[in-house]
Amino acid sequence: MKKMKKLLSLLVVTTMVASMLTGCGNSKEATTWKIGGIGPATGDYAQYGLGVKNAIQIAVDEINEDGGINGVQIEYRFEDDETNNEKSVNAYNTLKDWGMNILIGSVTSGCSIAVSGKTSQDHMFQLTPSASSVDAIKNDNVFQVCFTDPNQGTGAAAYIGDNNMATKVAVIYDSSDVYSSGIYEKFALEAANQPYEIVATEAFTKDSKTDFTVQLKKAQEAGADLVFLPIYYTEAALILSQAKTMGYAPTFFGCDGMDGILTGVEGFDTSLAEGVILLTPFAADATDERTQAFVKKYEERYGETPNQFAADAYDAVYIVKAAIEESGATPADGVSGICDKLVKKMPELKYDGITGEGMTWSATGEVNKNAKAMVIKNGAYSLIQN
Amino acid sequence: MKKLTLNKQTKSNLITYGIIVIAYFVIQIMIATHTMSYHMQGMLVTVCSYIILAVSLNLTVGILGELSLGHAGFMCVGAFVGASFSICMKGIITFTPLRFFLALLIGALAAGIVGILIGTPVLRLKGDYLAIVTLAFGEIIKNVINVIYMGIDKNGLHFSTKDTVSLGMEEDGIAVIKGAQGVTGMPQDSNFTIGIILILLTLYIVLHLIQSRDGRAIMSIRDNQIAAESVGIHVSKYKLLAFSISAALAGMAGVFYIHSFDNMSSSVFDYNLSISILVFVVLGGIGSIRGSIIAATVLTILPELLREILYSISKDSNVSQVITNSRMLIYSIILIVMMIFNWSPEVKEWTGKFFGKFKKNKSGKKEVA
């Protein structure tokens, strides 16, 4: 009897463990588009991940209301990766079990690179809304919506030179961030060919991003009349207010991460941002109809102004839609079949979105669109006319 | 009498190895029959590395009795050294198992050497002081790797602490370590089978050490340092032995861990990771090797299981959007509950009774036989 009991309990435990590990089945015949999203919904970069999560939801709802893609509805699921490579791969595998056939993600560069290793093994189409590192698109199946870092860095360096904006330039960047240091490196390379010189290069890391007086002091002492800030807006806001306190007023020049400085930081005096120039593909107060409709919807549903990450993600869904429609892919093609068709179609695709008009892609996955140089005037972005 | 206790030990060891081997075969069968989700399959390698880390930290915390909060630092050293080796040798050693074996060996050696370097001054401290200093060292390791840039071209290795541009490499050069961005382009050599072999190796080393003369010396230091010294045990030597072996095993786990990813930055190996590993050890029972294995497995899988569970809950109702968004909060609460439940005297008494009965039955049966 005792033995029986022991045997029985062993059996129960085994089945329990087995059922725990099993999850749902792997090979189901797909009948809908299952779009998965991955990004940080918790942790330091949650605001970017949540922006992407919400924006994809808006786009998916819009498309479903209009009858889906080629009459097929979209299902959407978003998984948190805490900006951690390991968790990002876990999130990817979760979505794979769920039956995902197209991935929009991951939001950050590091995680995107990690996930792209897995998507290329599985041959799944991956479109990252905001990973800007070149390594993120080194696999054939990965495409991106935002600029690559080198493009931004080189573009910014050339823009400053072409418009004779400065003779002495200082750079403050985040050396622990792929995005920021990626831009900086290319900026430094291109700046060598330009008529100005870099007089100060100051780095900070994510552990020391609250006090920038040292970096600003060095820039000021070196006599820089332009400070290049290839960083995100939260830190940029701090830099602007600390520069003001020091009485240092050079031209500040940012990239697309700077977008959001007017609305994203609580308690930030936006008059400090007056005169800041940034290269960005998206401005929340642009006057075209689609941007306004998107911004309005986003504000209604989530109570905040969408940033550039959200806009990229919104475009990403529509890019996927356009690519599917033109290639005639169906969910029945299977993950690999869909990927083949979309990868073949992407270089021929031309798409007008809220983050750029006439976007095209090279076969390597890099996007080709124009950055707009914006200057902040009277608390709003306004396009600089060249 | 002496023979009997020895047998008991061997038996206990065999059970520990047995659990691992059986788990391996069960999982292999599940993979072969497609009854295991991709999600769980994807986690096998990480679970293996956490088991090695937990067992190796248990050597320091449970056997040596010193609190170390810098375990992720040693993992980091091993991971980066091993990964750099693999990337540099990718074109030279094409036989993957040999290259990976060498990477594991070099990573473990590097971490072991750092363990000795750190251990020599640090192990003079005790208790809280040691914990704080190891915490600091873990952070130092992370931050040092954060500023290292390393590249390789046909002229050899290039180092810099500024950026990849200042490496001054030839056209064909590749940047191996890119400062805070970490390493990119490791060959993905890790797999579950190698993980199990490494776990068994770790268990062999740790159990063998614990049950040897050296192990008894180490435990005597834990129990009473003055008494140990008075019978002529060389305290610093044995402390350093346990600490550096623990570090080397962590380094090996780091190499194994990093080779399952395409890229990895050193910021992953922060003190949060050290604390997580310590949590495995504490929850599993300080000094209990089998407990560490189980705790590491359960605590790694749990937050991931919550994804599925919370998703299926939220699909059926609209209210629980909040619940799906608080996955990590729920995980933390479960952790607190588990800690209390596992260590409350009532529960201990209950499990003691339960297993006591179990044991009595067993011995009773033996008598019959």
Side-chain angles (χ1 to χ4, degrees):
Chain A
M1 196 60 208
K2 279 267 160 60
K3 216 174 172 183
M4 273 284 277
K5 235 184 201 167
K6 228 157 88 185
L7 213 70
L8 200 73
S9 61
L10 194 74
L11 201 77
V12 170
V13 167
T14 322
T15 32
M16 261 168 69
V17 169
S19 66
M20 184 178 93
L21 294 171
T22 311
C24 41
N26 301 332
S27 51
K28 264 182 279 174
E29 186 65 34
T31 51
T32 53
W33 293 109
K34 289 192 158 185
I35 294 182
I38 302 174
T42 51
D44 286 346
Y45 298 96
Q47 50 185 332
Y48 307 124
L50 290 173
V52 167
K53 180 185 176 183
N54 298 340
I56 298 179
Q57 188 69 57
I58 290 178
V60 165
D61 289 349
E62 281 176 4
I63 293 173
N64 279 342
E65 268 170 40
D66 287 350
I69 306 176
N70 285 338
V72 181
Q73 291 283 306
I74 308 174
E75 281 184 70
Y76 164 56
R77 176 172 172 184
F78 185 89
E79 282 298 328
D80 178 18
D81 68 7
E82 304 161 39
T83 333
N84 175 322
N85 296 359
E86 182 198 324
K87 298 286 158 57
S88 209
V89 171
N90 286 345
Y92 169 69
N93 283 323
T94 314
L95 291 170
K96 208 167 99 183
D97 286 324
W98 171 66
M100 164 172 68
N101 37 34
I102 288 169
L103 172 66
I104 296 181
S106 173
V107 171
T108 48
S109 288
C111 292
S112 237
I113 299 168
V115 170
S116 77
K118 307 292 170 195
T119 53
S120 91
Q121 275 172 18
D122 297 330
H123 204 58
M124 180 179 293
F125 184 73
Q126 182 186 358
L127 181 66
T128 165
S130 49
S132 50
S133 153
V134 188
D135 285 329
I137 51 165
K138 66 177 190 288
N139 293 319
D140 294 339
N141 62 321
V142 191
F143 288 81
Q144 63 193 165
V145 181
C146 67
F147 296 112
T148 52
D149 301 333
N151 277 347
Q152 288 205 54
T154 319
Y159 187 89
I160 295 169
D162 291 348
N163 294 295
N164 284 323
M165 290 170 65
T167 50
K168 288 177 174 178
V169 174
V171 185
I172 301 177
Y173 74 104
D174 180 352
S175 65
S176 65
D177 184 48
V178 186
Y179 164 80
S180 189
S181 41
I183 295 179
Y184 159 68
E185 274 167 21
K186 293 297 169 182
F187 181 86
L189 274 182
E190 179 62 28
N193 310 324
Q194 297 292 336
Y196 52 86
E197 57 167 334
I198 297 181
V199 288
T201 304
E202 297 302 318
F204 62 95
T205 65
K206 71 172 180 184
D207 299 324
S208 60
K209 58 176 185 186
T210 47
D211 184 16
F212 297 99
T213 42
V214 177
Q215 285 95 330
L216 284 166
K217 194 117 231 158
K218 282 193 181 159
Q220 191 177 22
E221 276 165 7
D225 46 11
L226 185 142
V227 178
F228 180 53
L229 303 174
I231 52 178
Y232 291 122
Y233 60 84
T234 344
E235 291 88 49
L238 283 170
I239 290 182
L240 289 177
S241 52
Q242 284 167 8
K244 168 89 175 173
T245 327
M246 289 168 59
Y248 178 44
T251 312
F252 287 101
F253 194 101
C255 288
D256 58 358
M258 188 87 107
D259 173 57
I261 192 157
L262 292 178
T263 48
V265 191
E266 251 173 67
F268 174 65
D269 178 9
T270 48
S271 70
L272 291 176
E274 210 62 12
V276 170
I277 300 171
L278 62 156
L279 286 182
T280 175
F282 173 73
D285 55 359
T287 47
D288 66 295
E289 205 180 303
R290 284 194 69 193
T291 310
Q292 284 189 336
F294 167 66
V295 172
K296 191 162 160 269
K297 232 178 233 176
Y298 194 99
E299 282 172 344
E300 272 171 17
R301 273 173 77 162
Y302 303 106
E304 54 188 26
T305 311
N307 54 13
Q308 177 236 333
F309 286 81
D312 280 330
Y314 181 81
D315 269 352
V317 181
Y318 278 100
I319 291 163
V320 166
K321 179 174 181 263
I324 291 173
E325 279 170 351
E326 289 199 16
S327 65
T330 59
D333 290 337
V335 168
S336 183
I338 296 169
C339 185
D340 279 337
K341 284 188 177 171
L342 295 189
V343 166
K344 231 170 101 190
K345 203 78 220 171
M346 283 301 280
E348 301 163 21
L349 199 67
K350 196 162 189 233
Y351 172 78
D352 292 326
I354 57 176
T355 63
E357 283 183 6
M359 294 159 84
T360 53
W361 285 264
S362 64
T364 52
E366 200 172 314
V367 70
N368 201 339
K369 60 182 178 184
N370 286 322
K372 301 167 189 159
M374 305 267 190
V375 64
I376 296 177
K377 242 190 232 161
N378 303 325
Y381 296 119
S382 65
L383 205 63
I384 299 180
Q385 308 292 346
N386 287 331
Chain B
M1 198 61 208
K2 203 186 164 197
K3 208 183 164 197
L4 194 79
T5 46
L6 244 175
N7 275 342
K8 216 172 167 184
Q9 216 163 49
T10 331
K11 208 166 129 193
S12 161
N13 289 354
L14 284 177
I15 291 174
T16 314
Y17 295 132
I19 290 175
I20 300 293
V21 174
I22 290 169
Y24 173 70
F25 283 111
V26 169
I27 289 168
Q28 284 295 9
I29 290 167
M30 283 172 71
I31 293 173
T33 53
H34 298 290
T35 45
M36 192 176 210
S37 65
Y38 291 120
H39 185 199
M40 289 301 147
Q41 282 184 38
M43 287 177 57
L44 291 173
V45 167
T46 28
V47 171
C48 287
S49 26
Y50 286 139
I51 289 177
I52 301 173
L53 286 164
V55 170
S56 62
L57 183 64
N58 212 336
L59 188 61
T60 309
V61 176
I63 310 304
L64 179 63
E66 297 290 6
L67 191 57
S68 163
L69 293 177
H71 217 52
F74 299 122
M75 186 187 175
C76 184
V77 171
F80 274 77
V81 171
S84 311
F85 174 80
S86 287
I87 296 169
C88 295
M89 291 292 149
K90 220 168 13 183
I92 300 166
I93 307 175
T94 44
F95 184 56
T96 318
L98 174 71
R99 186 186 61 214
F100 193 42
F101 172 73
L102 288 176
L104 286 166
L105 198 70
I106 291 172
L109 273 178
I113 291 167
V114 173
I116 293 173
L117 288 178
I118 291 176
T120 313
V122 161
L123 285 171
R124 289 163 202 283
L125 300 168
K126 263 192 263 179
D128 306 345
Y129 303 105
L130 181 75
I132 291 165
V133 174
T134 48
L135 178 77
F137 267 108
E139 287 295 292
I140 289 173
I141 291 172
K142 187 191 96 185
N143 283 311
V144 165
I145 291 180
N146 239 343
V147 296
I148 291 181
Y149 290 82
M150 190 184 101
I152 184 169
D153 63 5
K154 58 176 188 279
N155 299 329
L157 294 173
H158 297 258
F159 289 93
S160 161
T161 53
K162 201 158 161 270
D163 49 34
T164 42
V165 183
S166 56
L167 285 172
M169 287 185 299
E170 304 277 323
E171 283 285 300
D172 64 329
I174 42 166
V176 179
I177 301 178
K178 288 190 276 189
Q181 301 170 38
V183 282
T184 312
M186 286 81 76
Q188 302 197 357
D189 293 338
S190 298
N191 61 42
F192 181 51
T193 311
I194 297 177
I196 290 292
I197 295 170
L198 292 181
I199 291 177
L200 290 175
L201 179 72
T202 308
L203 284 175
Y204 179 77
I205 294 171
V206 171
L207 291 174
H208 211 74
L209 177 70
I210 294 174
Q211 287 148 16
S212 69
R213 188 188 155 86
D214 292 337
R216 285 190 295 276
I218 292 168
M219 282 186 280
S220 72
I221 298 170
R222 172 192 68 189
D223 294 337
N224 192 330
Q225 190 171 336
I226 297 167
E229 258 178 323
S230 73
V231 291
I233 287 173
H234 196 318
V235 173
S236 340
K237 181 187 137 192
Y238 283 111
K239 269 189 174 177
L240 204 56
L241 180 75
F243 194 71
S244 55
I245 288 177
S246 166
L249 290 173
M252 184 181 79
V255 180
F256 178 68
Y257 178 80
I258 206 167
H259 278 82
S260 66
F261 295 97
D262 231 31
N263 71 323
M264 188 57 77
S265 71
S266 62
S267 60
V268 173
F269 304 99
D270 59 358
Y271 67 93
N272 278 331
L273 185 62
S274 296
I275 303 277
S276 309
I277 303 167
L278 189 66
V279 168
F280 300 152
V281 174
V282 174
L283 187 75
I286 292 176
S288 158
I289 301 293
R290 227 178 289 160
S292 296
I293 297 174
I294 296 167
T297 314
V298 170
L299 289 185
T300 315
I301 291 179
L302 190 67
E304 293 300 325
L305 270 184
L306 281 175
R307 277 182 204 276
E308 269 319 312
I309 297 168
L310 293 176
Y311 178 72
S312 51
I313 296 172
S314 72
K315 217 166 52 171
D316 301 331
S317 64
N318 297 322
V319 242
S320 39
Q321 187 69 32
V322 186
I323 301 179
T324 30
N325 292 341
S326 45
R327 183 171 64 94
M328 293 321 284
L329 182 70
I330 295 172
Y331 169 67
S332 316
I333 293 171
I334 293 178
L335 194 62
I336 294 171
V337 172
M338 271 163 78
M339 279 289 180
I340 294 172
F341 188 77
N342 222 10
W343 294 107
S344 81
E346 286 86 0
V347 177
K348 265 188 154 174
E349 197 184 326
W350 182 80
T351 46
K353 258 190 211 158
F354 186 76
F355 284 108
K357 218 159 80 184
F358 209 67
K359 259 182 199 153
K360 224 164 65 191
N361 281 338
K362 242 184 190 167
S363 51
K365 222 166 40 193
K366 237 180 217 157
E367 273 169 22
V368 175

